[in-house]
Amino acid sequence: MQRAFEMAARLLPDRRPDPLLSRTDLVQGKAMARRDGPLKVSGRAPFTQDVVVPGLTHAALVCATRPAGRIAEIEVAEAEAAPGVLLVMTHHNAPPMKAPRLLITLKGASFTRAPVMQDDQIRWNGEPVAVVVAETAEQARHAADLIRVHYDTSGPTPIVDFTTEQGRARRAANVQGERTRIAKGDVDRARQSSDHIVDHGYRTAMHYNAAIEPHITVARWDDAEHLTVWDATQAITHTQMTLADVFAVPVENVRVIAKFVGGAFGSKMVWSHQLLCAGAAKLLGRPVRATLTREEVFRVTGGRTPSSQRVTLAANASGGLAALSHEGTTAIGAQDNGFAEQFTFPARNLYASDSFLVDQHVLELQMPANASMRAPGDSIGSFALECAIDEMAERLGVDPIVFRTRIEPDRNPATGRPFSARHLLETFARGADTFGWDQRNPVPRSTRRGEWWVGHGVAGANYPYIRMPNGKATITVCADGRAIIRTAAHEMGMGTATVQAQHAADRLGLPVEAVTFEYGDSSLPAGIPAGGSAQTAAIIASVTAAAKQLVEILLKLAPRGGALTGARPRDVELRDGGLYRRDGGSGLPYSTLLGGAGRDEVTAEGTESLPLEMMKYSMQSFGAQFCQVRVSDVTGEIRVDRWLGVFDTGRVLNPTTAASQFRGGIIMGLGQALTEEVAVDSRTGRIMNPSLAHYHVPVHADVPHIDVDWLGHPDPMAPMGGHGVGEIGITGVAAAVANAVHNAAGIRLRNLPMTPAQVLPALLETAPGPA
């Protein structure tokens, strides 16, 4: 398939510029408040927790307390006799369920092919082994506590410790569909002959998405063949496909509804709880609600992999890179989930080098399947790469921004493809001017305020442009001048409904108030998952395709002998509330076209084209992250005082929603840098801090004032010239903090998170001796 795409891409002519891009009167590009804001602040936005259906029952999970082995016995009699209990489901009585399809196939939404309650095997500590359904949630939880599980652990010793087991790692089969290992030139020879070498290991911790809304599902079977599921999912269509396949029913018999989702960041795909909820509802014959506790979110679903990385840079006195190598290992679940986090992607795309090597290995552990978390791979990979780049600039005695100008590539270093648009150096230049980079003291450990060392850091940001195929949308134009856009998209707080209404208004020549955007239901035209910063471009492409079909429909409705007689699609355009000849020519409003044909409305459907532009061009988003930090010489605490992120993400479609996304990514990056770490018991594989009391996400006091800016140069190859903005904000953040810490205190920290326990010994090692 990849080869077919690449062959087609070579024949693909450059995309004709979208006529809308040249206009200055668009609603797109203007700040506009989120349409869902009033619903959310007033408590009227319907989340899955608010779903109530007749006969609703409540489920509670029982999770394994061993990382491997088999279930020898489950004692359920006491639970079955508890008040309100309707059903206890185990592998003995669970309905047949196929292993779910992987998200990476675009035919499912799961990160693992592990069977769900179909056998007595234990695959990780936290795997659900029983489901209790009762009349109330409290009764279900009480009864779940009465179940006793006995294990046979006589099998092989489980593999649970990422740190000690890396000798078992193997090369990943692929990295998000791309080659695992890419080598150009001789990196080892370049190292041996170079004047300056940076060669270090970097470690990043396991993370969890920790969305404000835990995972929750309500499942109802209308009969043996028809299933309705309300779910906090970011992959409506693909959850529908997964459920249909798992329960062997036609996909059109499954309906998935997700009007609002309280945060996801990559985690709200298909996990075992949705399948168990639907399976229990099938057995019971009543609707079932399954709500994961915060602890169960950590045990049942997956997060960001831990990583062990090594970056090697070699440079000569002239200042260019003679070698760039980025290698390392990440973890995946013991049931191979095919999701090797792409930490080498920044190294593949950012900097020129005479020789080049990237390579990734994976270690299978008895743990939940590795899954997406905002900018998976790219965020942790950017930490290692950008720290190494900063250190090499120091070795060379040049400013880290100046050094990047010396290693700016003219084509993608890994693929050789031309960039469709690249303005990375401009983001550094604008950011340096706004931030006041010229006031930075380049000498580490030079500025002190009381107990605090003060310093400044910078790092590059990078994330690929992604447009997933096969998204669909319909446009319904009404005789009264309204339009309705429909697609099975998602609104998780990023402003999808707002931005898409803006685009459709411009596309149809209507005021934005006249456009309604319907989403959140699999009965609507199939959508793509809200992941990879891909949803916005995909919907725009689908709506653009639907608008082309709408033109053809309206031309057929135009009265003979009228203003549009003899016009062909290329002769006309949608504007001013109707269909008109191009270049200011005559035409008819929608009301006249529909009224004359006796129609109240017309509907056109469009399917987005294959994203062949991604095969012909290297399409990336870029940015520069600047920060000021303080490092306490007494406690080892790191405080971030000031932040600026400048981004090159093509045309920004709504400054209000884009700025929110950039800031949200930066805040998650601060957590990655300073506080977030999943602690795993190296003996049992049990997650030891499965709560927001012990897994520390950034709180208000941790977050400084964050300024964001963007260039706004349209990418001519992208629909409406824009890239997604949801992921790039987190990339480069941890590296900028680490580089600022070095400038402040003279210490290089290469392991995340950078806690006082790591800072204090480093400060003591570098402290000057007595005079």
Side-chain angles (χ1 to χ4, degrees), residues 232-257:
T233 177
Q234 62 188 100
I236 293 171
T237 297
H238 293 72
T239 297
Q240 176 195 29
M241 291 191 291
T242 303
L243 290 166
D245 186 58
V246 166
F247 290 100
V249 297
V251 69
E252 61 270 17
N253 290 4
V254 177
R255 184 182 180 190
V256 177
I257 302 169

Side-chain angles (χ1 to χ4, degrees), residues 15 21 419-423 465 613 617-621 648-651 712-723:
R15 183 189 300 276
L21 281 175
F419 294 104
S420 61
R422 180 181 170 112
H423 309 281
Y465 162 92
E613 70 271 19
Y617 294 94
S618 176
M619 301 184 69
Q620 308 286 325
S621 289
D648 171 32
T649 56
R651 193 170 193 271
H713 304 316
D715 183 337
M717 295 299 110
M720 279 309 301
H723 296 186

Side-chain angles (χ1 to χ4, degrees), residues 29 132 158 196 221 344 347 350 361 451 456 650 695 698 747:
V132 178
H196 303 279
W221 290 87
T344 59
L350 277 173
H361 287 70
E451 71 180 72
H456 304 87
Y695 179 81
I747 56 177

Side-chain angles (χ1 to χ4, degrees), residues 386-654:
E386 293 297 311
C387 285
I389 290 290
D390 192 82
E391 187 166 353
M392 178 57 80
E394 184 184 42
R395 295 277 183 91
L396 294 170
V398 298
D399 182 273
I401 297 177
V402 172
F403 179 53
R404 286 172 171 85
T405 67
R406 299 179 180 178
I407 54 176
E408 173 72 358
D410 56 4
R411 286 178 170 264
N412 183 286
T415 67
R417 295 177 192 149
F419 294 104
S420 61
R422 180 181 170 112
H423 309 281
L424 173 62
L425 296 183
E426 189 177 346
T427 66
F428 277 104
R430 181 182 292 193
D433 184 61
T434 303
F435 188 78
W437 185 252
D438 60 343
Q439 301 301 308
R440 165 185 178 265
N441 189 331
V443 180
R445 211 178 178 107
S446 298
T447 304
R448 183 161 183 154
R449 298 173 188 166
E451 71 180 72
W452 299 93
W453 296 104
V454 181
H456 304 87
V458 69
N462 169 246
Y463 193 76
Y465 162 92
I466 298 173
R467 184 164 71 83
M468 299 180 192
N470 301 324
K472 300 179 186 296
T474 60
I475 299 173
T476 297
V477 173
C478 305
D480 61 4
R482 295 178 300 110
I484 305 167
I485 312 301
R486 296 181 173 97
T487 184
H490 314 76
E491 176 56 86
M492 303 184 298
M494 63 280 210
T496 299
T498 310
V499 171
Q500 295 303 329
Q502 289 177 269
H503 167 252
D506 290 330
R507 185 69 59 190
L508 301 174
L510 291 172
V512 70
E513 297 80 14
V515 178
T516 301
F517 184 73
E518 293 186 1
Y519 59 92
D521 193 323
S522 66
S523 64
L524 300 172
I528 69 161
S533 295
Q535 181 176 247
T536 297
I539 297 173
I540 287 174
S542 302
V543 170
T544 301
K548 291 180 180 179
Q549 189 190 66
L550 178 64
V551 167
E552 296 177 2
I553 293 172
L554 293 176
L555 281 175
K556 292 177 182 178
L557 296 181
R560 294 181 180 179
L564 295 172
T565 298
R568 292 169 292 184
R570 68 170 179 264
D571 303 326
V572 296
E573 61 185 350
L574 301 170
R575 60 175 169 82
D576 301 326
L579 184 66
Y580 295 87
R581 292 182 182 273
R582 293 186 182 278
D583 302 323
S586 59
L588 297 171
Y590 296 130
S591 58
T592 301
L593 284 165
L594 271 64
R599 303 280 292 273
D600 294 327
E601 62 182 38
V602 294
T603 297
E605 181 174 275
T607 302
E608 63 166 327
S609 60
L610 288 173
L612 296 179
E613 70 271 19
M614 294 167 56
M615 301 300 164
K616 187 171 184 178
Y617 294 94
S618 176
M619 301 184 69
Q620 308 286 325
S621 289
F622 302 98
Q625 308 274 21
F626 294 81
C627 69
Q628 175 181 304
V629 307
R630 288 176 289 141
V631 182
S632 171
D633 210 12
V634 176
T635 66
E637 180 185 10
I638 299 170
R639 278 284 171 188
V640 181
D641 291 331
R642 188 160 60 99
W643 200 279
L644 170 67
V646 182
F647 301 98
D648 171 32
T649 56
R651 193 170 193 271
V652 170
L653 304 179
N654 184 324

Side-chain angles (χ1 to χ4, degrees), residues 40 46-48 209-216 231-233 259-265 267-268 294 491-493:
K40 288 180 175 177
F47 289 83
T48 305
N209 295 269
I212 192 170
E213 175 199 36
H215 298 60
I216 178 171
D231 189 47
T233 177
K259 292 298 184 185
F260 290 93
V261 179
F265 314 113
S267 72
K268 287 186 176 167
R294 183 63 66 183
E491 176 56 86
M492 303 184 298

Side-chain angles (χ1 to χ4, degrees), residues 4 39 88-89 109 111 117 126 130 171 185 200 236 281 283 349 357 393 509 559 583 588 624 638 653 671 711 760 767:
L39 287 175
V88 176
M89 186 173 78
F111 285 103
M117 208 169 280
R171 178 168 286 125
H200 294 294
I236 293 171
L283 281 185
N349 298 304
L357 172 67
D583 302 323
L588 297 171
I638 299 170
L653 304 179
L711 306 182
L760 276 175

